[in-house]
Amino acid sequence: MSDQLLKISPYGERAILITWPDTVSESILKEIILLKNALKQEEEFLNAEMIGSYNSLCLVFSDTLDFENMRQRILEMHVALDFNQPFERKLWSLPVCYDARFGVDLEAVAKSLRLSVDQVIYKHAHAKYTVYGLGFLPGFLYLGGLSRNLWLPRREQPRLKVVEGSVAIADRQTGIYPQDSPGGWHILGNCPIPLFNVRKRDPMPIKPGDQVTFEAVDLELYRSIYKRYRKGYYKLKSELVCWK
Amino acid sequence: MLEVIHPGLYTSLQDMGRYGFREIGVPVSGAMDQLSLGLLNKIIGNTPKMAAMEMTLLGPKLRFQATTRIIIGGAPIQAELEGRPVPMGQLTRVRMGEELHFGSVQQGCRSYLLVKGGFQVKKVLKSSSQYFPLTDKGFLRKRMTVGYKTFDREIPMKTAYSLSHLEESILEVYRGPEFELLASKDLERLFFRPFHLAKEQDRMGIQLQEPLTTHDHSLLTSAVLPGTVQYTPSGKLIVLMRDGQTTGGYPRVLQLSERAISVLAQKRVGDSIRLKLLR
């Protein structure tokens, strides 16, 4: 992508915002991650926090910065990127139970979309999603790649409490609530495995750029996975795949 | 150890912030008024990673189980150590068994209590700042105990206690990434007339009472920072504070200066502020 399409602007005293065109695409996401990884190797950016999502990358420094100098460095690094370089990302398979006791909005969603509940579940569980970023809550994944047939604006009245593990959809995205929280998304099911854990050295193993698939499990299997997880026997399934 | 006899209103333990985890959605947290905590840390000789107690409008009642040196600062607050008033910004000796009773914040919103060496809190993701549900609790609770180390020596006062930002009401702001979305009549509204703090406010964000014109711009979820002014479709302005989420989809029309975040942290519901555009 040419540099004219890259917008670099100061964001307050301590941050720089790099913005790409206003579209959701895997190629932009890959470019963001490649640039982020390249910047992380550079001394000037070592201490910067980097928040990437959809079409932007925000660099936050611990002190005031020389914007013009940093802008030049970012452009240099960007020009030097090899976009065709294949690189690896993880493909995660997460169990989701679409039982009505978890999927409290299944009926309403099916009705709004003029689909059957089974069709909603099928379409949601048979897609490969991409992690475009994390935010809203610690460990909340923004997953793109939702079937066009499931696009639906968020609920008019947000719920005061959405339970931990809820798998939900809104607009063109799906996501998993990592903690109990208020929320306005439509809840379709529940994932028995907490993905975000502050006691682990890597509290959130699923990273921007990774892919996620959902494996539909019935209530019995959901409970058994949960039990195995509690005893420490369950490990999330993932494999390395090449991102071309 | 320190025993919480009464927790006060929204009392929490905070350091200067939890950095390095925003990429996975973890807010920065940390003291709302970092100018005050920064200066108090300097006076007592604590580091930015050491936890202090942040008090909001009404302070706690505490019993100290070991002798130490404390300092209280930020917004002026009523404080009595065994019935004797404790002056703001001065190193004070507290002996084993003594009770420190805080009353109301007299002017401003947030005050800080520091002990020499900091409160001993189990760090979560490298920070002592309380933020629920990352930490077990978001605020101090009755009968909770908080650790600290015994310390009984004089600390030379090398830095003067002086905080000029407490009385300020002008917030210096930069253009935010979506500044251009503001209509010209809104620009006039923003920079030539005062705003008042709405009752919707906490450590995550502070809403302003006066709305701008409504709009229907939304953007792809992108990073937001403490001090980012979000412009919601109904025209409301929300200033994100230290516990604010890491990403958002509302236009980010302004960004407060670092100083302005601390100035705003000392304002209460109904207080008036003005915005001043820098550069």
Side-chain angles (χ1 to χ4, degrees), chain B residues 225-238:
Chain B
L225 305 171
T228 295
V229 183
Q230 291 185 315
Y231 177 26
T232 71
S234 62
K236 279 179 203 156
L237 296 175
I238 301 169

Side-chain angles (χ1 to χ4, degrees), chain A residues 49 201 203, chain B residues 18-27 125-126 246:
Chain A
E49 282 194 69
R201 208 156 67 139
Chain B
R18 179 175 281 114
Y19 293 92
F21 301 97
R22 276 188 265 202
E23 198 187 358
I24 54 169
V26 178
L125 301 182
K126 299 183 186 167
T246 56

Side-chain angles (χ1 to χ4, degrees), chain B residues 45-268:
Chain B
N46 284 357
T47 68
K49 282 280 157 201
M50 289 178 181
M53 197 174 281
E54 178 175 281
M55 303 174 276
T56 308
L57 297 172
L58 181 68
K61 291 185 171 62
L62 309 166
R63 186 179 297 118
F64 287 76
Q65 314 281 27
T67 299
T68 185
R69 291 289 195 285
I70 63 162
I71 189 164
I72 302 165
I77 185 170
Q78 299 168 321
E80 287 189 352
L81 182 65
E82 295 294 312
R84 308 177 310 268
V86 183
M88 300 289 292
Q90 284 191 29
L91 292 158
T92 305
R93 183 174 184 240
V94 177
R95 283 174 301 185
M96 189 173 78
E98 286 187 328
E99 286 188 15
L100 176 62
H101 291 190
F102 288 98
S104 304
V105 170
Q106 288 156 316
Q107 192 198 337
C109 191
R110 291 177 171 91
S111 316
Y112 294 88
L113 164 69
L114 284 73
V115 295
K116 174 69 185 172
F119 291 108
Q120 308 293 305
V121 186
K122 202 180 144 216
K123 287 190 168 62
V124 174
L125 301 182
K126 299 183 186 167
S127 163
S128 305
S129 292
Q130 282 187 291
Y131 169 76
F132 183 79
L134 223 59
T135 56
D136 290 342
K137 295 184 173 61
F139 297 102
L140 234 58
R141 296 284 178 88
K142 201 172 174 172
R143 282 191 284 277
M144 219 166 109
T145 57
V146 186
Y148 64 90
K149 288 181 187 146
T150 306
F151 183 90
D152 199 12
R153 265 179 293 147
E154 287 296 321
I155 305 169
M157 184 110 175
K158 287 182 195 150
T159 313
Y161 177 73
S162 155
L163 290 168
S164 58
H165 73 288
L166 295 174
E167 283 88 43
E168 287 172 20
S169 60
I170 292 172
L171 306 182
E172 292 187 325
V173 297
Y174 298 92
R175 289 174 168 82
E178 285 77 43
F179 182 83
E180 275 71 34
L181 293 181
L182 291 164
S184 55
K185 84 169 198 212
D186 283 327
L187 287 177
E188 207 176 297
R189 171 71 196 85
L190 273 169
F191 301 115
F192 292 98
R193 284 166 63 192
F195 284 90
H196 297 85
L197 272 73
K199 63 177 191 302
E200 290 82 7
Q201 61 155 300
D202 53 24
R203 288 187 40 89
M204 294 172 75
I206 295 175
Q207 199 170 302
L208 302 180
Q209 279 178 19
E210 296 82 359
L212 303 183
T213 46
T214 59
H215 69 86
D216 54 7
H217 301 286
S218 72
L219 46 132
L220 283 171
T221 297
S222 179
V224 290
L225 305 171
T228 295
V229 183
Q230 291 185 315
Y231 177 26
T232 71
S234 62
K236 279 179 203 156
L237 296 175
I238 301 169
V239 189
L240 295 175
M241 297 300 280
R242 309 286 182 192
D243 283 351
Q245 56 187 71
T246 56
T247 57
Y250 296 132
R252 302 157 288 190
V253 288
L254 303 170
Q255 176 66 31
L256 267 59
S257 70
E258 292 299 320
R259 183 183 181 84
I261 302 173
S262 290
V263 171
L264 181 61
Q266 290 296 355
K267 298 292 173 245
R268 303 182 182 196

